[in-house]
Amino acid sequence: MTRMLIMGPPGSGKGTQASRIADKLGIVPISTGDIFRHNVKAMTPLGVEAKRYIDNGDFVPDDVTNRMVADRIAQPDAEHGFLLDGYPRTAGQVEALDAMLREAGQALSAVVELEVPDAELVERLLKRAEIEGRADDTQDVIQHRLDLYHRETEVVIENYVDRGIVARVDGTGQIDDVTERLLQAVYSVRAATGTLPVITPRTEA
Ligand code: ADP
């Protein structure tokens, strides 16, 4: 059973890699950014509430985000494992996730962090802006999201480093190569922490 997180700054390729890895591992990818964007598009109450934060590159308040994630990971398809993409990003979200998992008698088996230099991130995001036209991919908002990442989310990762479940992965280069590195990293963490699924040898009667 794999319950894991993928972390990394905006533009690091988290979303792309999350669906690839989740696919390989047979678990569901859960992207808080995607869920918010769906809700914004459908103009649900959650979307209306979240939109002003997202457009400015700010974090949606913890209570809203935490509730949304709690609902999502309680769905039947997440029972056999999940990969959270874009959550947790604040100390409060780490606490909330710990509480959710504790209550369900679950634990995280790995956290992978994608590393890409800031200059390349800005370049990638500006290019994406031309192609996808995401409202939050303007130069100012990009810079703000990067600052927030460095200020708030990087320290969040330290929490998991202390638990010995983090692997840092070079997020530059070919997409396929990054996927391979990530899968290898998940395997290494799980081997080192002893959470790889154990195959019990059949014993003769
Ligand atoms: P990026 O990593 O490029 O910022 P995402 O698609 O992951 O893109 O997130 C887009 C936006 O959605 C964020 O800027 C933020 O406003 C909101 N969001 C996503 N995840 C969270 C979260 N865990 N906590 C608060 N806000 C979030």
Side-chain angles (χ1 to χ4, degrees), residues 2 23 40 54-56 61 79 86 127 131 133 155 167 183 186 203:
T2 312
D23 210 47
V40 169
I54 296 172
D55 286 352
N56 291 325
E79 220 172 87
K127 196 178 286 169
I131 302 165
V155 294
L183 288 169
V186 174
T203 45

Side-chain angles (χ1 to χ4, degrees), residues 2 9 24 37 75-76 79 84 98 126 135 156 160 186 189 202:
T2 312
K24 282 265 186 203
R37 276 186 293 276
Q75 300 294 313
E79 220 172 87
L84 284 171
D98 278 341
L126 288 174
V156 158
Y160 297 112
V186 174
V189 168
R202 276 229 314 266

Side-chain angles (χ1 to χ4, degrees), residues 9-11 14 32-34 36-37 53-54 57-60 65 85-89 93 125 128 134 136 145:
K14 278 190 316 277
T32 43
D34 279 352
F36 282 133
R37 276 186 293 276
Y53 298 101
I54 296 172
D58 287 323
F59 293 146
V60 177
T65 309
D85 155 15
Y87 181 92
R89 289 189 205 215
Q93 292 179 12
L125 289 166
R128 182 172 80 186
R134 245 174 72 164
D136 59 348
R145 279 154 58 211

Side-chain angles (χ1 to χ4, degrees), residues 10 16 22 28 38 49-50 55 74 78-79 87 90 114 118 120 122 127 132-134 137-138 171 175 190-191 197:
T16 306
V28 286
H38 282 303
E49 158 95 19
D55 286 352
E79 220 172 87
Y87 181 92
T90 66
L114 276 174
D118 272 12
E120 182 167 341
V122 174
K127 196 178 286 169
E132 293 179 20
R134 245 174 72 164
D137 280 345
T138 63
I175 294 181
R190 300 200 61 177

Side-chain angles (χ1 to χ4, degrees), residues 1-201:
M1 177 85 54
T2 312
R3 295 194 180 86
M4 59 172 292
L5 315 178
I6 183 164
M7 309 194 76
S12 58
K14 278 190 316 277
T16 306
Q17 296 296 342
S19 34
R20 290 171 150 236
I21 302 168
D23 210 47
K24 282 265 186 203
L25 299 177
I27 56 181
V28 286
I30 300 175
S31 156
T32 43
D34 279 352
I35 301 176
F36 282 133
R37 276 186 293 276
H38 282 303
N39 279 278
V40 169
K41 214 166 152 203
M43 291 192 285
T44 66
L46 174 68
V48 172
E49 158 95 19
K51 185 176 168 25
R52 53 199 164 117
Y53 298 101
I54 296 172
D55 286 352
N56 291 325
D58 287 323
F59 293 146
V60 177
D62 278 358
D63 58 332
V64 176
T65 309
N66 291 335
R67 217 173 318 120
M68 182 179 88
V69 172
D71 284 349
R72 182 62 190 88
I73 65 176
Q75 300 294 313
D77 64 343
E79 220 172 87
H80 305 291
F82 54 75
L83 195 180
L84 284 171
D85 155 15
Y87 181 92
R89 289 189 205 215
T90 66
Q93 292 179 12
V94 172
E95 254 179 62
L97 178 61
D98 278 341
M100 288 173 219
L101 293 172
R102 206 180 315 116
E103 245 167 68
Q106 300 172 347
L108 288 177
S109 34
V111 176
V112 286
E113 184 193 6
L114 276 174
E115 295 186 305
V116 177
D118 272 12
E120 182 167 341
L121 294 171
V122 174
E123 200 180 301
R124 288 186 189 183
L125 289 166
L126 288 174
K127 196 178 286 169
R128 182 172 80 186
E130 284 174 22
I131 302 165
E132 293 179 20
R134 245 174 72 164
D136 59 348
D137 280 345
T138 63
Q139 194 134 20
D140 284 357
V141 177
I142 287 170
Q143 194 53 55
H144 180 56
R145 279 154 58 211
L146 276 176
D147 290 345
L148 262 186
Y149 185 81
H150 292 310
R151 204 169 64 222
E152 298 223 23
T153 308
E154 252 163 16
V155 294
V156 158
I157 296 172
E158 292 312 314
N159 212 289
Y160 297 112
V161 171
D162 294 342
R163 303 181 200 182
I165 56 170
V166 175
R168 295 196 156 107
V169 171
D170 176 6
T172 64
Q174 297 294 319
I175 294 181
D176 282 347
D177 294 340
V178 177
T179 308
E180 269 315 306
R181 278 176 223 148
L182 286 167
L183 288 169
Q184 187 57 49
V186 174
Y187 182 84
S188 302
V189 168
R190 300 200 61 177
T193 54
T195 64
L196 278 176
V198 178
I199 298 160
T200 321

